[in-house]
């Protein structure tokens, strides 16, 4: 076809451009600047044409937080997540802010310490704090406690009794509330299906090794048996459960099943 019949007009604003995140920030900050200008001029009714709505201001804060997280700037990201939590009226979004703040602190911790357990680190403390806040705020969303269990999996948390007890509480919550998994997956905002698919197995695994150190032998041994009975469990977790089972039987005075 001749060029006067068909052509491509490139605006240079696609999502695959190198400056995608920077353009997102400029666009979202314009919304907040417009809102600030209206606020200080006293135009609280937002009568100006094209003035941002309250919903647009909330979304701008949320997606600025998302964008700064993608750029590897977790501190700046958390500033916007915290403000979004304060002004949002949507519970799923408020939960998501708490959860994302925890993930930002987790990522900062991993950059500094990798898989070494440093319980006095500020980001470690804040990560655990916000994982719990997210769980308490919206219990049907199990992503926060799943990520807490996953983060500590394989670490020497048995040396830290308070942390071990909290993790066991998370694991037992999942074990005792299987119906809540279906409720959480029906939520509308940033549902992570892999968490719901793996959470029961991870919960059993957590109880299978922490139960011994907390001297909850009946709970730990039962978790080992449930984990070994699963057809879909990972070989590594089942191997760990077989080994842990020997310690449980020894602890309760059994040489073999009794």
């Amino acid at each position: 076809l001749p060029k006067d019949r068909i052509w491509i007009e490139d605006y240079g604003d696609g999502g695959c451009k190198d400056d995608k995140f920077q353009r997102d920030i400029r666009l979202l900050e314009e919304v907040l600047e417009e809102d600030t200008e209206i606020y200080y001029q006293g135009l609280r009714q937002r009568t100006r044409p094209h003035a941002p709505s309250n919903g647009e201001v909330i979304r701008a804060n949320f997606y600025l937080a998302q964008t700064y997280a993608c750029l590897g700037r977790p501190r700046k990201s958390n500033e916007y997540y915290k403000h979004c939590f304060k002004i949002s009226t949507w519970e799923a979004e408020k939960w998501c802010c708490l959860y994302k703040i925890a993930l930002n602190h987790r990522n900062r911790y991993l950059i500094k310490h990798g898989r070494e357990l440093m319980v006095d680190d500020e980001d470690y403390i804040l990560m655990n704090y916000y994982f719990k806040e997210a769980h308490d705020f919206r219990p049907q969303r199990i992503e926060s406690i799943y990520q807490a269990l996953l983060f500590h999996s394989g670490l020497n948390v048995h040396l830290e009794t308070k942390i071990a007890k909290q993790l066991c509480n998370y694991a037992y919550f999942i074990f005792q509330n299987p119906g809540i998994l279906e409720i959480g997956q029906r939520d509308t905002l940033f549902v992570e299906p892999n968490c719901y698919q793996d959470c029961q197995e991870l919960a059993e695994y957590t109880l299978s090794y922490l139960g011994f150190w907390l001297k909850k032998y009946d709970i730990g041994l039962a978790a080992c048996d449930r984990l070994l009975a699963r057809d879909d469990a990972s070989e590594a977790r089942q191997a760990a459960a077989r080994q842990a089972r020997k310690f449980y039987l020894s602890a309760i005075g059994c040489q073999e099943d009794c």
Side-chain angles (χ1 to χ4, degrees):
L1 293 174
K3 293 181 180 179
D4 61 345
R5 297 281 303 277
I6 185 170
W7 67 92
I8 296 174
E9 190 167 355
D10 184 4
Y11 290 97
D13 60 354
C16 295
K17 304 292 184 180
D18 291 340
D19 63 341
K20 190 266 184 190
F21 292 127
Q22 287 75 14
R23 284 186 287 108
D24 286 350
I25 288 173
R26 288 196 296 270
L27 178 65
L28 294 166
E29 285 183 342
E30 284 177 7
V31 175
L32 299 188
E33 288 170 3
E34 176 76 359
D35 181 66
T36 301
E37 181 183 352
I38 291 171
Y39 179 86
Y40 283 110
Q41 288 183 4
L43 304 177
R44 300 307 305 277
Q45 300 302 314
R46 302 180 183 277
T47 56
R48 180 186 299 183
H50 311 301
S53 66
N54 288 332
E56 288 171 333
V57 172
I58 296 169
R59 295 296 90 70
N61 276 277
F62 183 85
Y63 284 104
L64 274 167
Q66 293 279 87
T67 303
Y68 278 114
C70 291
L71 287 171
R73 297 181 61 185
R75 286 186 181 275
K76 190 71 172 177
S77 172
N78 281 352
E79 290 178 15
Y80 285 104
Y81 278 133
K82 290 176 181 178
H83 188 58
C84 183
F85 177 83
K86 182 179 179 180
I87 63 177
S88 178
T89 57
W90 184 14
E91 284 202 357
E93 185 173 53
K94 292 171 80 73
W95 169 85
C96 196
C97 290
L98 295 172
Y99 175 55
K100 296 287 188 175
I101 291 170
L103 292 181
N104 275 338
H105 284 296
R106 180 202 64 182
N107 294 340
R108 277 177 53 84
Y109 177 91
L110 290 173
I111 290 171
K112 292 184 291 183
H113 303 296
R115 296 293 294 160
E116 183 180 0
L117 185 63
M118 305 288 288
V119 297
D120 295 327
D121 179 85
E122 180 183 20
D123 284 302
Y124 177 82
I125 294 168
L126 290 172
M127 172 194 72
N128 284 310
Y129 173 80
Y130 280 104
F131 275 147
K132 186 176 186 305
E133 287 288 295
H135 174 59
D136 291 344
F137 185 83
R138 200 167 179 80
Q140 65 265 41
R141 292 296 297 269
I142 56 86
E143 287 93 335
S144 59
I145 59 176
Y146 174 85
Q147 291 295 346
L149 295 177
L150 189 65
F151 176 88
H152 290 93
S153 180
L155 299 181
N156 293 325
V157 292
H158 62 277
L159 301 176
E160 302 291 338
T161 303
K162 183 177 179 181
I163 297 169
K165 286 182 177 179
Q166 182 64 72
L167 295 173
C168 279
N169 287 340
Y170 289 156
Y172 215 65
F173 176 86
I174 293 172
F175 169 68
Q176 288 185 311
N177 297 279
I180 209 168
L181 304 182
E182 183 179 347
I183 298 173
Q185 290 183 88
R186 292 202 301 265
D187 220 338
T188 54
L189 189 64
F190 294 110
V191 175
E192 299 177 15
N194 62 301
C195 296
Y196 294 87
Q197 293 162 7
D198 185 49
C199 67
Q200 289 180 311
E201 181 184 330
L202 180 59
E204 302 287 21
Y205 173 68
T206 301
L207 292 171
S208 74
Y209 72 89
L210 285 184
F212 182 83
W213 299 104
L214 294 174
K215 301 188 185 304
K216 302 291 184 180
Y217 300 137
D218 54 338
I219 293 175
L221 183 58
C224 287
D225 290 339
R226 289 192 300 268
L227 187 56
L228 291 170
R230 293 179 66 99
D231 295 330
D232 58 347
S234 73
E235 293 183 8
R237 287 173 179 170
Q238 286 190 326
R242 290 190 192 95
Q243 189 64 28
R245 199 172 188 279
K246 297 176 183 178
F247 288 100
Y248 283 114
L249 293 175
S250 176
I252 61 177
C254 292
Q255 296 302 315
E256 53 187 52
D257 288 358
C258 56

